[in-house]
């Protein structure tokens, strides 16, 4: 399997595994003052970033500004699971030949005023971006989960390079023991 697709599938699988391990109350709980968003809101954001790619790829135009807010997926854990599974299915169906197809990207870039930037990218690059962005949100979700005294798997929310570093450190410690 192509590494970028495998990595995205692993990240989606991590999110699905978490959703199988928590209840609806935990999914919607906001751990103020430490975090201002629920797990469901973070999951919605992750899904939305994938959906702009899924929905825009056929037109070769991906607009990251078009995302849902307050959607059912933020409060309904079953909706989130279904949408994540659909994204996984889409990822499995991708072909290597489509990864380098040029696509136009639009993304708002200014905080003080509405200003978007446009550039040409590829599906390959955008899948790297969305996986990295997803991992960032998984790390935030990991904090929310821990604040609710729910355990997560060892490498939950870690960037792939960080997980590699941790494995190397553990291997080195085992050799030194």
């Amino acid at each position: 399997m192509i590494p970028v697709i495998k990595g995205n599938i692993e990240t989606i699988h991590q999110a699905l595994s978490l959703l199988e391990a928590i209840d609806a109350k935990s999914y919607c709980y906001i751990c103020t003052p430490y975090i201002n968003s629920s797990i469901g809101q973070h999951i919605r954001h992750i899904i939305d970033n994938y959906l702009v790619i899924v929905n825009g790829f056929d037109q070769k135009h991906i607009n990251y500004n078009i995302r849902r807010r307050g959607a059912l997926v933020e409060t309904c854990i079953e909706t989130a699971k279904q949408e994540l599974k659909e994204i996984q299915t889409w990822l499995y169906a991708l072909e290597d030949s489509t990864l380098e197809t040029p696509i136009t990207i639009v993304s708002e870039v200014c905080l003080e005023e509405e200003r978007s930037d446009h550039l040409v990218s590829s599906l390959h690059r955008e899948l790297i971006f969305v996986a990295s962005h997803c991992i960032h949100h998984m790390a935030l979700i990991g904090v929310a989960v821990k604040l609710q005294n729910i355990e997560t798997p060892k490498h939950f929310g870690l960037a792939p390079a960080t997980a590699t570093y941790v494995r190397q450190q553990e291997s080195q410690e085992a050799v030194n023991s």
Side-chain angles (χ1 to χ4, degrees):
M1 182 177 287
I2 302 161
V4 70
I5 294 173
K6 183 177 186 322
N8 275 274
I9 289 169
E10 288 174 351
T11 302
I12 296 295
H13 177 75
Q14 191 176 74
L16 280 166
S17 294
L18 170 73
L19 298 184
E20 291 296 335
I22 65 173
D23 61 21
K25 182 178 177 186
S26 296
Y27 185 71
C28 296
Y29 184 72
I30 299 174
C31 302
T32 55
Y34 308 106
I35 299 175
N36 296 323
S37 301
S38 68
I39 293 169
Q41 288 168 315
H42 283 285
I43 293 291
R44 188 266 315 149
H45 182 72
I46 289 167
I47 291 170
D48 282 357
N49 275 296
Y50 276 102
L51 289 181
V52 296
I53 294 173
V54 170
N55 296 332
F57 183 67
D58 286 343
Q59 295 82 27
K60 310 297 182 263
H61 182 80
I62 295 171
N63 186 339
Y64 286 108
N65 300 335
I66 300 172
R67 296 192 312 265
R68 305 169 294 178
R69 286 175 177 80
L72 178 63
V73 71
E74 289 184 8
T75 56
C76 180
I77 200 167
E78 293 305 318
T79 300
K81 289 178 195 177
Q82 183 58 40
E83 289 187 8
L84 286 167
K85 288 173 186 174
E86 289 169 6
I87 292 165
Q88 243 182 358
T89 299
W90 179 80
L91 287 164
Y92 274 115
L94 286 176
E95 297 177 14
D96 187 24
S97 61
T98 63
L99 289 178
E100 300 310 320
T101 303
I103 50 179
T104 303
I105 303 301
V106 178
S107 184
E108 200 163 322
V109 294
C110 294
L111 187 59
E112 300 292 326
E113 62 182 299
E114 186 178 340
R115 302 266 320 255
S116 292
D117 215 340
H118 301 71
L119 66 120
V120 175
S121 186
S122 67
L123 179 59
H124 194 151
R125 172 65 187 103
E126 296 313 302
L127 287 174
I128 290 171
F129 160 75
V130 78
S132 178
H133 193 74
C134 178
I135 290 164
H136 159 76
H137 281 274
M138 294 298 285
L140 292 170
I141 289 168
V143 173
V145 169
K146 287 176 183 141
L147 286 169
Q148 296 180 65
N149 297 314
I150 301 168
E151 291 198 28
T152 60
K154 184 176 183 177
H155 292 140
F156 186 86
L158 287 184
T162 303
T164 296
Y165 174 78
V166 169
R167 285 190 301 271
Q168 290 170 345
Q169 293 302 304
E170 291 169 345
S171 178
Q172 187 62 40
E173 289 172 8
V175 170
N176 293 337
S177 297

